Amino acid sequence: MPVNTTDKVDFSTTSRMIRRAIDERDMAELSRVLDALEVPEVLEHLESLPLKDSAIAYRMLHKDRAMDVFEMLDAPVQAELLEAMQGHPVTEVFAAMDPDDRVALLDELPAQVAAKLLQGLGERERRETNVLLGYSSGVVGHVMSPNFVTTHPGLSVAQTMRRIHRVMDDVESIYTVLITDGARRLVGVVSLRELMGADDEQLVGELASEPYTATANEPVAVAARRTIDTRVMVMPVLDLEERVVGVLTIDDAIRLIDLEEEERSARGAGTEPLRRPYLTTPIRSLVKSRLVWLLVLGIGATLTVQVLSSFEETLESMVVLSLFIPLVVGIGGNTGNQAATTVTRALAVGDIRVADLGRVLLREVRVGGILGLCLGSLALLIASLVFDLQVAVIIGITLVALCTIAAAVGGIMPIIGKLLRVDPAVFSNPFISTFVDAAGLVVYFSVAMSVVQNFGGM
């Protein structure tokens, strides 16, 4: 238990004390400082330390606290910490984890380390873990919990309550009990609240309600969102023969959706998700997560350069148009990104499907056209007051056309990504910005040339 102290110190002071104890190899002082902290505080300090120092500090934790802290770490950090501990007994910590958390950790470890940890498990823990490892990454079976409460329709409420008491420390959740037949096929579900309010002699089968279910090979994001949308505490997971093989709990569903949103947000901003605290992420990983995207976007930007070079003579004869290039490019990119973000979100929550591509395209063309008319009219008014009417007309017409094109492209690109089985976020903002930049310049200079030819030189 943490030591009760009357003097509370801030994070920076405690961090300096921990680092000084590690630097001076004063393990007694390090243990004393860590004992005075609550588990969330220990976690925060471990995540702020370099990996080698974090491993040293972790060794100073008492067994029970070490397990609590380890379970709260992100899976990539757990993997790096295990490798850095070099022979420190970790089998007990690994065995104490829930099966789905074990699998998440194993996914991050080198094969040799993972195999060694599996060998150290007891027969029951190894069997539970292997069930999840048998499913490919990205499906519900890989992240579900194989530990859950079951009962039979012919058992009484009292008998079912005794079953709950026997297994309550070993299962993921006791608030929803699965009712299965002799072949482990799902008959229904009953909540703990209903059991506690029923007569002891009443048969559980009489209390059964129709459950929402997921299949083991179903995509994780789909099942997790359905769990949240239906507001169930536990979503039973069935195999191809409709037998119960596990459950997905509401807290796991929320965590999985949070991870998905984090990845989508990162890729939408042109980088890869870190999947670990920033301060514990190695510099090489930070560079790697950004470099590839910067190279891809840099290559895409050469398209814009080519467009500018193609209209070099036009630009030289109408220098004033160069003043509006940032405006045209900015509005086009933002319009496309807005459409892409809206459609990507709609895809994620199931509001639209790939088959709705045509409907989405028509809606975004209309939305883009209306936005373009609003912005174009405003630009026409302002530009005509500052510059001449021809420049104002060029800007106004360009914004109408560009907003329509950008919204249409931004709306359909995530759906095309989904059709190609690629993360829609990868198809969205960065690539749309590059495409719209080039398209915007083509539209801009084409409109300019057309206006000049019809209304005379500037």
Side-chain angles (χ1 to χ4, degrees):
M1 294 292 292
V3 177
N4 292 322
T5 58
T6 55
D7 299 324
K8 288 288 184 181
V9 293
D10 59 25
F11 179 87
S12 298
T13 302
T14 304
S15 181
R16 286 195 296 272
M17 294 168 65
I18 292 174
R19 291 173 186 271
R20 183 168 61 248
I22 292 174
D23 292 340
E24 297 175 357
R25 291 298 186 265
D26 188 347
M27 298 300 105
E29 173 65 11
L30 177 60
S31 180
R32 186 193 68 79
V33 173
L34 293 174
D35 284 346
L37 302 174
E38 300 291 340
V39 169
E41 294 174 316
V42 174
L43 180 70
E44 189 176 4
H45 283 287
L46 287 182
E47 291 180 338
S48 70
L49 291 171
L51 182 59
K52 184 177 179 181
D53 292 344
S54 182
I56 293 173
Y58 182 80
R59 289 192 183 100
M60 294 300 103
L61 298 174
H62 295 298
K63 177 181 175 182
D64 291 340
R65 300 191 75 209
M67 290 183 178
D68 291 339
V69 170
F70 192 82
E71 288 184 346
M72 295 176 68
L73 291 169
D74 294 327
V77 181
Q78 290 177 336
E80 291 180 351
L81 184 61
L82 283 181
E83 293 187 75
M85 288 168 69
Q86 298 177 355
H88 184 81
V90 296
T91 304
E92 287 186 56
V93 176
F94 185 64
M97 298 174 70
D98 290 330
D100 52 331
D101 293 329
R102 274 190 227 122
V103 171
L105 173 56
L106 291 173
D107 286 341
E108 301 291 338
L109 289 170
Q112 291 182 338
V113 178
K116 185 176 180 180
L117 286 174
L118 280 173
Q119 290 174 359
L121 292 175
E123 182 179 348
R124 177 188 170 187
E125 289 82 5
R126 187 162 57 249
R127 184 175 63 252
E128 292 172 345
T129 306
N130 285 334
V131 168
L132 306 194
L133 290 174
Y135 294 97
S136 59
S137 178
V139 301
V140 181
H142 196 71
V143 298
M144 67 184 180
S145 172
N147 297 326
F148 48 90
V149 185
T150 63
T151 187
H152 299 292
L155 294 182
S156 67
V157 169
Q159 290 173 314
T160 298
M161 292 298 293
R162 286 195 290 271
R163 289 170 70 100
I164 294 174
H165 280 292
R166 283 200 304 269
V167 302
M168 63 185 303
D169 292 331
D170 301 321
V171 297
E172 190 80 9
S173 173
I174 64 171
Y175 299 109
T176 300
V177 179
L178 278 56
I179 305 174
T180 60
D181 61 18
R184 293 204 344 259
R185 290 187 176 86
L186 189 64
V187 174
V189 294
V190 60
S191 69
L192 181 62
R193 181 188 184 92
E194 291 173 311
L195 290 173
M196 295 179 67
D199 184 79
D200 285 349
E201 300 305 317
Q202 186 174 4
L203 296 180
V204 172
E206 298 173 1
L207 301 173
S209 58
E210 190 71 22
Y212 294 99
T213 62
T215 58
N217 290 311
E218 189 173 352
V220 169
V222 175
R225 286 197 181 279
R226 189 161 68 254
T227 302
I228 295 172
D229 291 343
T230 55
R231 300 181 182 181
V232 295
M233 297 296 294
V234 169
M235 176 76 74
V237 180
L238 313 180
D239 62 12
L240 295 177
E241 298 178 358
E242 299 188 348
R243 294 175 302 186
V244 181
V245 291
V247 294
L248 179 65
T249 60
I250 185 66
D251 55 335
D252 283 342
I254 293 172
R255 175 178 56 82
L256 292 166
I257 292 301
D258 285 344
L259 288 174
E260 183 194 31
E261 293 294 341
E262 180 184 340
E263 292 183 359
R264 179 176 291 112
S265 176
R267 287 173 179 151
T271 184
E272 283 296 307
L274 297 179
R275 299 180 60 231
R276 68 193 74 196
Y278 173 80
L279 291 176
T280 63
T281 304
I283 295 297
R284 66 179 183 277
S285 297
L286 290 173
V287 172
K288 183 180 178 182
S289 70
R290 302 177 190 179
L291 182 59
V292 174
W293 280 93
L294 288 175
L295 290 174
V296 170
L297 295 177
I299 294 172
T302 59
L303 180 61
T304 304
V305 176
Q306 291 296 321
V307 171
L308 283 173
S309 64
S310 300
F311 290 95
E312 185 176 356
E313 293 182 4
T314 304
L315 191 58
E316 288 178 354
S317 63
M318 298 179 289
V319 179
V320 68
L321 295 181
S322 63
L323 300 175
F324 294 94
I325 290 178
L327 172 69
V328 171
V329 168
I331 288 180
N334 289 334
T335 302
N337 287 338
Q338 286 179 335
T341 301
T342 302
V343 173
T344 300
R345 173 65 180 171
L347 278 171
V349 300
D351 286 346
I352 59 175
R353 297 177 177 82
V354 173
D356 296 319
L357 188 147
R359 296 175 61 191
V360 171
L361 177 60
L362 290 176
R363 287 177 67 86
E364 289 301 329
V365 166
R366 291 160 58 192
V367 170
I370 294 172
L371 289 173
L373 284 172
C374 295
L375 295 174
S377 299
L378 183 61
L380 176 64
L381 176 61
I382 295 175
S384 63
L385 297 175
V386 181
F387 301 93
D388 58 45
L389 183 60
Q390 288 179 332
V391 173
V393 170
I394 291 171
I395 302 302
I397 295 175
T398 297
L399 291 182
V400 174
L402 182 57
C403 285
T404 304
I405 294 172
V409 171
I412 65 173
M413 287 299 280
I415 300 179
I416 293 175
K418 186 80 170 179
L419 181 64
L420 298 176
R421 300 184 182 277
V422 178
D423 188 342
V426 175
F427 257 67
S428 57
N429 298 5
F431 288 103
I432 290 171
S433 296
T434 302
F435 173 82
V436 172
D437 287 352
L441 292 176
V442 171
V443 171
Y444 184 39
F445 290 118
S446 298
V447 170
M449 293 173 63
S450 177
V451 170
V452 170
Q453 289 172 2
N454 286 277
F455 293 94
M458 291 182 139

